[in-house]
Amino acid sequence: MIRKDPVLEHEWHPVAIAADVSDTPKQVIVLGEKVVIFRTKQGVKAMKDLCIHRGVPLSLGRVDNDEIVCAYHGWRYDGEGQCVCIPALPKSQAIPLKAKTQTYLCQERYGFVWVCLGEPREDYPPLEGKIEEGLLPIWMGPYPVQASAPRVIENFLDVSHLMFVHEGLLGDSEFAEINDYNVHQVDGALVTDEIVVYQPDPDGRGIGVDNRYIYEIYTPCCVKLVKGSEGSDEIFHLFLIVLPETETTCTAFMLQLRNYAPDVPDQVFIDFQNTLLEQDKRIVEEQKPELLPLDLQAELHLKCDRVAIAYRRRLKELGVTIGTE
């Protein structure tokens, strides 16, 4: 049984790229809860993936006239989770009021579908006000990972692994030294100073540069990388938003934004990111302990780990329990 998380329960979580959601029911897992999502004329709906009658997942059924129909006995539920038709029940009898399934807050925004299981702390998901207009977007994912969401986030924030896990692409082991930097609080977010990294092929185009990284941490499961090189007007932003499914499994989504290479097919950047994700998964899926230690004495830390230290401290201050120990 997954632990109830007093923080993540009230956060907006990405469950799918919006373009991938249709009127075909789809099961997703949010903090251990099985949820069914489907598109209607009124927008995307999210509800507990369970027919109240005999416990069959509604995601096995179909959507008809904006109602989800259970595959077992044909019970129909409207977008509010209320059962509106029981085929086996005589038409003269009223449908029991308790014949309903729980619904969840759901919204389609920034190219993703988001679900909140509790009472959201904010009206909008964490990308609100953080996306620079005029940049070319690419939505990436889903990337299922057999590791805890905090482990995946921390790996994204770990600059000193680039020269070894992604050698020849995001780093070179002959240039592994990391300049000193600090982490600051800016409008509630954690933001690093610039970190300079030599990268042979930072985005799949095969152009080596000294890139300057700035990491921004917004929520326990939403972070951003701002990348640029001296003397260049190229802008590159990469958001990582992770859906915690269980204590040790999650699904990652990414939104890349850039102002260059408009003629390069999106698939070039997607294939490049897919390669990086596979390289990262090989590491994070084998890390021990599986849950991210929030006790800073549990592991050895260096100056180059300051952003990871700041992230762990933030999780501990907030009281995040899922995926941590």
Side-chain angles (χ1 to χ4, degrees):
M1 185 71 176
I2 194 168
R3 292 176 290 174
K4 192 167 184 176
D5 193 295
V7 180
L8 299 184
E9 182 182 0
H10 304 292
E11 296 280 356
W12 290 102
H13 298 285
V15 296
I17 294 175
D20 295 337
V21 180
S22 68
D23 60 359
T24 299
K26 175 183 176 63
Q27 184 188 89
V28 296
I29 298 176
V30 184
L31 306 179
E33 184 70 50
K34 292 179 180 179
V35 177
V36 59
I37 59 172
F38 56 96
R39 188 174 295 281
T40 71
K41 296 183 182 69
Q42 294 74 42
V44 179
K45 301 294 182 179
M47 58 182 64
K48 191 179 183 71
D49 193 12
L50 187 74
C51 179
I52 192 68
H53 181 217
R54 287 294 182 266
V56 170
L58 291 171
S59 56
L60 295 180
R62 60 187 172 86
V63 173
D64 178 52
N65 196 29
D66 288 346
E67 297 166 352
I68 190 165
V69 184
C70 179
Y72 199 11
H73 297 102
W75 287 34
R76 302 173 71 102
Y77 298 83
D78 65 16
E80 305 306 316
Q82 185 66 52
C83 182
V84 295
C85 177
I86 300 178
L89 191 70
K91 290 183 171 52
S92 59
Q93 293 187 26
I95 297 173
L97 293 178
K98 67 179 296 184
K100 63 183 304 182
T101 191
Q102 184 176 356
T103 58
Y104 300 110
L105 293 174
C106 179
Q107 61 177 296
E108 186 176 342
R109 207 167 180 86
Y110 326 114
F112 297 102
V113 172
W114 306 78
V115 168
C116 179
L117 299 187
E119 297 295 330
R121 303 179 191 281
E122 303 290 341
D123 293 337
Y124 300 113
L127 301 191
E128 179 71 11
K130 300 174 179 66
I131 297 178
E132 188 172 322
E133 294 185 4
L135 301 182
L136 301 172
I138 304 178
W139 290 269
M140 302 176 178
Y143 298 109
V145 185
Q146 299 295 308
S148 74
R151 278 289 191 195
V152 173
I153 291 288
E154 186 178 86
N155 174 77
F156 182 82
L157 300 171
D158 186 323
V159 69
S160 61
H161 86 285
L162 302 179
M163 304 79 178
F164 302 95
V165 178
H166 308 298
E167 184 164 19
L169 299 175
L170 300 187
D172 184 330
S173 58
E174 295 297 315
F175 302 92
E177 185 175 331
I178 303 298
N179 62 277
D180 198 10
Y181 68 92
N182 287 302
V183 182
H184 312 274
Q185 289 206 41
V186 181
D187 297 328
L190 297 175
V191 181
T192 69
D193 295 329
E194 285 189 344
I195 306 170
V196 181
V197 185
Y198 170 68
Q199 301 191 305
D201 184 9
D203 60 11
R205 293 182 298 158
I207 303 173
V209 294
D210 284 323
N211 264 324
R212 285 162 166 75
Y213 273 31
I214 295 176
Y215 292 104
E216 301 179 2
I217 303 171
Y218 304 122
T219 69
C221 296
C222 179
V223 294
K224 175 184 177 183
L225 167 67
V226 178
K227 182 170 67 176
S229 58
E230 188 173 354
S232 171
D233 59 0
E234 291 187 352
I235 298 173
F236 179 94
H237 296 173
L238 184 63
F239 289 90
L240 171 66
I241 320 104
V242 179
L243 166 64
E245 296 175 337
T246 69
E247 292 275 14
T248 56
T249 63
C250 65
T251 293
F253 297 89
M254 288 184 161
L255 172 59
Q256 181 198 101
L257 299 157
R258 71 185 195 282
N259 71 340
Y260 59 88
D263 298 326
V264 175
D266 287 355
Q267 197 61 44
V268 171
F269 296 98
I270 293 171
D271 289 344
F272 182 74
Q273 200 61 54
N274 291 348
T275 297
L276 299 180
L277 258 294
E278 286 303 314
Q279 292 173 338
D280 282 327
K281 283 175 64 175
R282 176 174 168 268
I283 299 297
V284 298
E285 291 185 344
E286 297 297 330
Q287 281 184 281
K288 302 297 178 189
E290 293 176 310
L291 304 183
L292 187 70
L294 299 189
D295 179 359
L296 295 181
Q297 303 303 313
E299 294 180 327
L300 182 63
H301 304 281
L302 305 175
K303 286 183 178 181
C304 60
D305 299 319
R306 278 179 172 156
V307 64
I309 293 170
Y311 176 64
R312 294 188 185 196
R313 283 176 172 161
R314 175 60 63 88
L315 294 185
K316 188 171 185 178
E317 290 167 1
L318 291 173
V320 173
T321 60
I322 292 177
T324 67
E325 67 172 20

